Amino acid sequence: MRQKLPLLFITMLLIVLYCNFKFKPTLLNQFQFHGINCQTITYNLWPKEDIKRPFHLIVRLLSNDLPPLHGDYQTYLNTKLILDSEELPADFRRLWVLNCILNKTKEQNIVDLLKSRSEKFEILHPPDTKNASIVEETALNVNKARNFGVQRGFDLGADWVFILDGNAFLTQESLQSLSSNIRTSMGSFLYYLPMIRLQMKTSLSITRTYEDLFDFVSGQQECQLGVHRQFLLARNNITYYQNFTGLLFNEKRLYSDLNKLQLLIDALKKFPHGSIFCGDAFVGFSKQKSVSWEKDRKLMKRCGYVLRLLYHPEQSSPADQSQETEGRYSARPLSKENFKKAVELYLKESYSH
């Protein structure tokens, strides 16, 4: 009997540890939406019994077009291209988050598109207020939507959640690399996923490789990010997150204020050693074109990659978008001014009755 007691104790301890790791909702409760102002609406999510473990989730954020920085229908056209092309591996699923889109016609067009493809998506509606400043700040708070997407993915049971911009295109080559490499990322809870910026128009399909697309790209850019649910256990022990607003991303940083880049920089310096997979994929402000496909090959094979779709995907936009991309910083002030007008129009249409 005495010999059986240690074995019984060890068995019970293992069960407790397993349950603590496997079921994480209690760990998420302290981060519930962090006061997100948007009303959330869920469409067509998977019944829990239909989700096979383990699985990983691709979350794409769809936000407001900001012309002239963006094309007027960039979000819709890029979403359609991804839906027409992307084929996920068996261990991946996909979720879309519509982030406070103010133009109701554009939002409905995207909703209709996603519904027609039986896609899973969430809508974050603007807050119910006539205060233009609150509406503008909420719509530009992409980090709050990113945190929502990460949390939603963990709530659904995903192991890895890759939180991508709406213009991030995944080829078959990249998806295969990503699916293979996350199996070797044990111990890491962040994944820096290289992003390649397209500069020249070309036909895209899931079978295109980085090698044959090389002549159409300008080089690597600020990477995209994946996060493993182990982050939830590690977070409280990371000094960086003391007095921090948000689950993963800093919600005090709005769009164009280093909202994602600052986290990528800080994590390399302040997160525990070994917590970042493919940390050498980090790129800050870079306008230099990649020198050769061979030079990039090892990184792409080891980490995978996403293609950043064009700023202006409309048929009428120029084939060479170097002027568009190089002039994007000068376009920002005008885009912000146009966005203020969009907020005013939204409030006028919403509260005119």
Side-chain angles (χ1 to χ4, degrees):
M1 182 67 180
R2 291 181 179 178
Q3 293 178 345
K4 292 182 179 180
L5 282 176
L7 180 61
L8 178 62
F9 174 79
I10 292 173
T11 302
M12 293 178 65
L13 179 61
L14 289 174
I15 292 174
V16 170
L17 290 173
Y18 173 83
C19 291
N20 187 48
F21 175 78
K22 196 69 173 178
F23 304 105
K24 291 299 190 303
T26 54
L27 292 173
L28 286 169
N29 287 342
Q30 59 183 307
F31 305 118
Q32 287 294 330
F33 303 115
H34 254 286
I36 192 165
N37 288 324
C38 295
Q39 175 189 2
T40 62
I41 298 181
T42 302
Y43 284 90
N44 203 28
L45 289 182
W46 312 275
K48 288 186 177 180
E49 59 271 17
D50 290 348
I51 297 179
K52 297 179 180 179
R53 295 177 181 271
F55 79 97
H56 315 294
L57 191 64
I58 301 291
V59 178
R60 283 190 177 88
L61 299 185
L62 305 179
S63 298
N64 293 276
D65 296 318
L66 300 176
L69 179 62
H70 302 148
D72 199 30
Y73 292 94
Q74 174 176 330
T75 302
Y76 178 89
L77 293 173
N78 285 344
T79 302
K80 186 176 185 303
L81 174 62
I82 292 169
L83 290 173
D84 289 342
S85 308
E86 193 171 82
E87 298 175 11
L88 295 178
D91 54 344
F92 276 80
R93 292 174 182 263
R94 185 167 58 202
L95 176 68
W96 306 82
V97 176
L98 281 67
N99 178 36
C100 300
I101 297 177
L102 301 180
N103 186 309
K104 295 296 106 181
T105 300
K106 287 187 177 183
E107 181 186 73
Q108 190 60 51
N109 287 339
I110 295 173
V111 166
D112 292 343
L113 174 64
L114 295 174
K115 283 185 174 180
S116 72
R117 308 298 180 91
S118 298
E119 289 292 305
K120 320 299 182 184
F121 63 97
E122 304 259 12
I123 296 180
L124 306 182
H125 283 305
D128 185 11
T129 178
K130 296 181 181 180
N131 188 313
S133 296
I134 294 177
V135 173
E136 181 178 346
E137 179 179 337
T138 304
L140 292 177
N141 199 335
V142 182
N143 277 353
K144 187 168 285 190
R146 286 187 175 118
N147 284 332
F148 171 84
V150 170
Q151 177 181 292
R152 198 70 180 97
F154 290 148
D155 284 342
L156 292 168
D159 286 340
W160 278 100
V161 176
F162 289 87
I163 190 80
L164 306 183
D165 297 335
N167 59 358
F169 185 87
L170 290 161
T171 65
Q172 187 176 57
E173 176 185 57
S174 179
L175 283 165
Q176 289 174 347
S177 178
L178 190 60
S179 180
S180 175
N181 291 331
I182 56 179
R183 299 189 185 100
T184 66
S185 62
M186 297 298 293
S188 301
F189 51 76
L190 290 186
Y191 190 126
Y192 282 16
L193 183 60
M195 183 163 68
I196 309 299
R197 188 176 70 197
L198 277 177
Q199 177 175 305
M200 302 288 294
K201 280 190 173 182
T202 181
S203 60
L204 281 177
S205 70
I206 195 168
T207 58
R208 297 293 296 271
T209 65
Y210 182 64
E211 182 179 9
D212 62 49
L213 285 169
F214 184 79
D215 290 339
F216 301 94
V217 306
S218 61
Q220 294 183 51
Q221 204 173 19
E222 179 183 315
C223 58
Q224 301 287 289
L225 192 65
V227 55
H228 192 272
R229 61 169 50 252
Q230 288 179 353
F231 168 75
L232 297 174
L233 294 174
R235 186 186 186 280
N236 288 338
N237 295 321
I238 300 176
T239 306
Y240 181 74
Y241 283 102
Q242 294 179 359
N243 302 317
F244 191 88
T245 304
L247 172 61
L248 176 65
F249 297 91
N250 188 345
E251 296 177 7
K252 293 182 179 180
R253 289 187 175 273
L254 304 183
Y255 174 79
S256 81
D257 181 27
L258 306 182
N259 51 330
K260 180 177 63 176
L261 181 59
Q262 193 62 56
L263 171 63
L264 298 175
I265 295 171
D266 291 344
L268 286 171
K269 300 176 181 178
K270 301 178 181 180
F271 278 35
H273 177 73
S275 61
I276 302 175
F277 185 73
C278 286
D280 55 331
F282 171 80
V283 175
F285 297 104
S286 175
K287 297 182 180 179
Q288 295 183 353
K289 181 175 173 61
S290 294
V291 177
S292 68
W293 168 75
E294 289 82 3
K295 185 177 180 180
D296 292 345
R297 181 180 182 181
K298 289 184 179 179
L299 182 67
M300 303 304 155
K301 184 177 181 180
R302 181 165 50 84
C303 303
Y305 63 93
V306 300
L307 291 172
R308 177 171 185 161
L309 298 175
L310 298 172
Y311 284 90
H312 294 264
E314 295 88 349
Q315 292 182 353
S316 59
S317 62
D320 183 350
Q321 298 215 349
S322 58
Q323 290 184 342
E324 303 288 354
T325 55
E326 290 171 1
R328 67 189 185 279
Y329 294 111
S330 62
R332 287 189 188 276
L334 184 55
S335 292
K336 288 184 177 181
E337 189 62 32
N338 287 339
F339 184 65
K340 290 181 181 293
K341 294 178 181 178
V343 171
E344 293 173 1
L345 179 61
Y346 163 78
L347 291 174
K348 182 178 179 180
E349 291 176 348
S350 300
Y351 297 99
S352 59
H353 303 295

